[in-house]
Amino acid sequence: MPANWKTFPAPAWLCKPIENSVVHAASQSGCPERGASSHLRPPLALRLQPIRIPVPDKTSQSACPPRNSSSQSGSPAFTFQPLSDCQPSPGTSSQSQPPVASAAASPGKVTEAVKVAIDAGYRHFNCAYFYHNEKEVGAGIRYKIKEGAVRREDLFIASKPPHPEWIMSCSELSFCLSHPGVHDLPLDESDMVIPGDTDFLDTWEAMEDLVIIGLVKNIGVSNFNHEQLERLLNKPGLRFKPVTNQIECHPYLTQKNLISFCQSRDVSVTAYRPLGGSCEGVDLIDDPVIQRIAKEHSKSPAQILIRFQIQRNVIVIPGSITPSHIKENIQVFDFELTQHDMDNILSLDRNLRLATFTITKNHKDYPFHIEY
């Protein structure tokens, strides 16, 4: 079900231009015709401040299908996601300690964590509709912009829309993204996702429209396997390539083949859950190999795991709300792992997938039925 987790900066339902009027994401004239010119790019940097745009009048829009009343907010399949994943620049470093569910931290802590991260040098923030933290992340960013510590154009803000079963047009996508206060996932009586037959290529077209009208600057995918990514890249009339594929990646799941495939197609890779978890009672942070390498470099195990991904040209996005961890984990540019270190870390691969999204295994686009 990979199309559920598309990534793109500056989510329309969080932001409005500072110097202009509110962009109503679902305005009837805002969506380009399918097949319209793709050369109408948004400005290089949209100066944005966080705000939830007004919910459109349901009677004047294409209604989004109602979500099942039995849906449960914050289902286990999504609780691993990071709070506010940051990195100094798209394509290099990362933030912090093991991923924390957004429900596990108070809004004030998330906002303060963003402020600390910006002061420490982070410039990449990873959000999502499902994390329920976008308002708090936006508040921290807005505070630091107003303070003069950072400019909006220096920040790369990623987010994801809700599940694509509802997304068939630009207006419907915008309507869903701006409609707060509803459950996250439609579930059946067995707590499995109620699957639909939406083609993720249709979802992608709706997202391309958002780029053209200037609501987002880039779009990408998450959890796509190589067959799904190839299908998207070969889509007739593709207007925008995905800039990244956000996947689980750590030494217990090195994703060597998928990373090679993505990079060969000029699609960057973003690693979520890079600090891993437990395997056979051993936590990745406590793995003897990681501990030994950390000791040799006088670094923390987390710093070794972050540096490992950087040297693979992989973007890293673990999350933390702990100031000391946030500051520590950006200190990864004053050392380099040897090839011997890299080989030893790669040898830890156990094909251990921690985020299996079991409630979506019945979906036609479940991405983990093949090797990579």
Side-chain angles (χ1 to χ4, degrees):
M1 200 172 171
N4 284 10
W5 301 286
K6 302 290 196 305
T7 57
F8 51 96
W13 68 101
L14 263 185
C15 308
K16 72 174 184 179
I18 289 178
E19 301 174 86
N20 300 310
S21 59
V22 174
V23 176
H24 288 274
S27 63
Q28 295 182 2
S29 62
C31 302
E33 295 291 335
R34 290 288 193 273
S37 172
S38 62
H39 301 297
L40 300 175
R41 302 271 182 160
L44 180 60
L46 293 175
R47 294 180 55 80
L48 302 168
Q49 62 185 11
I51 186 170
R52 186 177 293 279
I53 65 174
V55 177
D57 181 358
K58 294 181 183 179
T59 61
S60 63
Q61 305 297 334
S62 300
C64 298
R67 307 191 193 190
N68 189 299
S69 60
S70 66
S71 300
Q72 297 179 7
S73 175
S75 72
F78 296 94
T79 55
F80 76 91
Q81 296 286 14
L83 277 167
S84 56
D85 306 325
C86 320
Q87 58 183 302
S89 64
T92 52
S93 132
S94 160
Q95 206 196 24
S96 45
Q97 283 304 99
V100 183
S102 58
S106 66
K109 288 185 177 180
V110 175
T111 298
E112 289 305 309
V114 171
K115 295 177 184 178
V116 170
I118 289 176
D119 287 339
Y122 295 97
R123 294 296 181 264
H124 181 171
F125 292 84
N126 186 59
C127 314
Y129 176 91
F130 287 112
Y131 304 168
H132 303 291
N133 66 358
E134 293 181 312
K135 180 178 180 181
E136 292 74 38
V137 172
I141 290 172
R142 181 178 184 179
Y143 180 91
K144 299 308 291 187
I145 291 176
K146 184 176 181 180
E147 186 182 70
V150 70
R151 301 176 302 169
R152 175 62 184 88
E153 52 264 39
D154 296 329
L155 301 176
F156 191 89
I157 305 172
S159 193
K160 297 95 178 165
H163 43 97
E165 304 306 337
W166 307 341
I167 300 170
M168 291 300 294
S169 70
C170 172
S171 61
E172 289 175 348
L173 172 56
S174 301
F175 175 83
C176 290
L177 294 182
S178 63
H179 193 80
V182 288
H183 295 294
D184 285 344
L185 289 169
L187 306 178
D188 62 21
E189 294 179 353
S190 300
D191 287 333
M192 296 292 288
V193 164
I194 300 173
D197 60 358
T198 300
D199 191 326
F200 63 74
L201 296 184
D202 293 329
T203 303
W204 189 256
E205 287 191 16
M207 293 174 63
E208 288 178 316
D209 290 345
L210 296 183
V211 177
I212 290 175
I213 63 177
L215 293 180
V216 301
K217 291 178 68 64
N218 300 282
I219 48 179
V221 297
S222 183
N223 296 315
F224 267 41
N225 60 43
H226 81 284
E227 291 180 355
Q228 292 165 330
L229 185 58
E230 182 81 350
R231 180 169 178 252
L232 175 58
L233 293 173
N234 291 334
K235 176 185 178 296
L238 183 71
R239 293 174 286 173
F240 298 99
K241 287 179 59 175
V243 298
T244 197
N245 187 11
Q246 189 178 113
I247 59 175
E248 178 184 348
C249 187
H250 46 77
Y252 286 169
L253 182 68
T254 60
Q255 299 273 27
K256 182 179 178 179
N257 290 333
L258 184 54
I259 289 174
S260 177
F261 178 85
C262 290
Q263 293 178 344
S264 71
R265 301 304 193 276
D266 197 28
V267 175
S268 69
V269 174
T270 301
Y272 68 73
R273 207 159 188 167
L275 305 188
S278 294
C279 177
E280 299 174 356
V282 178
D283 193 274
L284 177 58
I285 287 287
D286 298 323
D287 188 286
V289 172
I290 303 300
Q291 289 282 332
R292 174 180 57 78
I293 295 174
K295 184 177 181 180
E296 290 173 354
H297 290 276
S298 299
K299 291 291 183 179
S300 71
Q303 288 172 318
I304 297 301
L305 296 173
I306 292 167
R307 183 70 201 184
F308 166 68
Q309 300 292 1
I310 292 172
Q311 290 186 209
R312 304 175 78 199
N313 197 29
V314 170
I315 303 165
V316 201
I317 56 166
S320 178
I321 59 168
T322 306
S324 61
H325 294 160
I326 293 171
K327 295 173 184 177
E328 173 187 291
N329 289 326
I330 199 173
Q331 303 302 319
V332 291
F333 299 103
D334 56 353
F335 77 104
E336 185 173 345
L337 298 174
T338 67
Q339 187 58 52
H340 183 66
D341 292 334
M342 295 292 290
D343 292 341
N344 282 336
I345 296 173
L346 285 168
S347 72
L348 297 176
D349 189 21
R350 307 178 187 184
N351 198 32
L352 175 68
R353 190 178 300 279
L354 301 170
T356 57
F357 307 104
T358 54
I359 66 171
T360 69
K361 283 186 176 181
N362 60 325
H363 196 281
K364 65 181 177 63
D365 290 325
Y366 185 75
F368 307 138
H369 290 314
I370 64 174
E371 182 181 354
Y372 72 96

